[in-house]
Amino acid sequence: MPPGSGSSVSEKPPDETPGEIVSRFVPSPNHSERRDGRRPDLLLLHYTGMPTAEAALARLCDPAAQVSAHYLVLEDGAVVQLVPEDRRAWHAGAASWAGETDINSCSIGIEIVNPGHEGGLPPYPERQIASLIGLCRPIIDHWGIAPERVLGHSDVAPGRKEDPGELFPWRRLFEAGIGHWIEPAAITDDVVLAPDDVGPEVRALQDALAFYGYGLDPTGTYDEPTRLVVAAFQRHFRPERVDGILDASTFATLQDLIASRPG
């Protein structure tokens, strides 16, 4: 039990979806009903962005913090359940995807212990990722979550969030049957579009990003929201260089990703 949380610990979690991968249940008070009876069909991955797992667990169980997630994956691979899957955990904040703005109601949230960018963004340990894969698979199967709806916090909140970060092994998850991924196009120095560009090519880019799911208005101007969304796309799908500029590699990767999207 995290110091000062006041939460009890149960050996048996309330959900059986993840099977034996969950080691314990530490109930968080921070949850509510899913609005309009919404069934979760999106899986959202975060890093904790805190120095220690203990600090992260304490915050996720602190009523004053008003944040939570369904699961917390520790560095050693242990998995803690905080909120039952049929409840609305409070993990996404102000966010949107494919026109939906209440991401908490349509998603399952998983926090992954990592100090994040402020803590130097260390690599995710293999045993942690192996446990995450073991946790995600039954959740995806149970709720019927489509590959393209396995996302990072930065995808649904570009500019506000950067997690789980450019070092997160999305390729590794895809190889395990989780999420949508394609091999990124090779990086070159060719710039297709850049901030302050204006015209139909910019609007076509904005339309393509919005078609995939990113929350972006087609203004026809390569404005700051567009730069932030391009950076979020790069962080997930072309992480070797994250700068918010539409170079040829980012453009080709976006086109290939849309073309390969299931369905």
Side-chain angles (χ1 to χ4, degrees):
M1 179 171 62
S5 71
S7 298
S8 61
V9 178
S10 170
E11 295 300 322
K12 182 176 176 59
D15 287 322
E16 298 301 327
T17 300
E20 296 181 356
I21 193 73
V22 174
S23 58
R24 58 192 171 118
F25 176 49
V26 181
S28 171
N30 303 328
H31 56 87
S32 53
E33 294 282 347
R34 292 187 184 274
R35 294 172 183 167
D36 300 320
R38 187 69 163 83
R39 178 182 173 89
D41 62 4
L42 188 152
L43 183 61
L44 195 62
L45 306 182
H46 311 251
Y47 63 43
T48 54
M50 300 188 73
T52 66
E54 292 77 14
L57 186 55
R59 178 170 172 77
L60 292 166
C61 293
D62 181 2
Q66 296 188 343
V67 295
S68 63
H70 293 92
Y71 298 99
L72 177 69
V73 183
L74 279 59
E75 291 150 308
D76 65 0
V79 176
V80 181
Q81 184 170 5
L82 305 170
V83 175
E85 288 182 15
D86 62 351
R87 298 287 293 175
R88 180 180 181 271
W90 304 341
H91 57 98
S96 68
W97 189 258
E100 293 191 79
T101 56
D102 184 4
I103 299 302
N104 283 336
S105 282
C106 70
S107 65
I108 301 290
I110 300 177
E111 290 276 358
I112 307 161
V113 173
N114 186 291
H117 288 82
E118 291 188 3
L121 195 62
Y124 292 86
E126 171 56 29
R127 57 187 174 180
Q128 186 180 44
I129 296 303
S131 287
L132 176 65
I133 288 170
L135 175 64
C136 290
R137 279 174 171 162
I139 293 173
I140 289 169
D141 291 344
H142 178 74
W143 296 106
I145 296 173
E148 67 272 20
R149 289 179 71 83
V150 179
L151 302 167
H153 202 182
S154 58
D155 291 310
V156 302
R160 192 173 68 83
K161 294 293 180 178
E162 296 180 301
D163 56 311
E166 53 273 16
L167 296 186
F168 184 76
W170 290 107
R171 182 202 303 267
R172 172 90 165 81
L173 267 65
F174 175 72
E175 291 170 348
I178 298 164
H180 186 204
W181 174 266
I182 53 109
E183 186 68 25
I187 291 179
T188 69
D189 292 328
D190 297 330
V191 174
V192 178
L193 292 169
D196 298 327
D197 284 350
V198 177
E201 295 87 357
V202 176
R203 183 174 181 121
L205 165 65
Q206 294 166 332
D207 285 340
L209 289 164
F211 177 77
Y212 193 77
Y214 288 94
L216 187 61
D217 293 329
T219 62
T221 299
Y222 205 122
D223 49 18
E224 182 63 5
T226 301
R227 188 191 70 79
L228 292 172
V229 168
V230 170
F233 175 84
Q234 292 170 330
R235 187 168 284 115
H236 186 153
F237 297 105
R238 208 291 307 272
E240 287 77 14
R241 186 165 69 200
V242 179
D243 57 10
I245 295 172
L246 188 74
D247 54 29
S249 167
T250 303
F251 185 54
T253 302
L254 174 60
Q255 290 180 311
D256 291 345
L257 194 74
I258 290 174
S260 69
R261 188 166 69 170

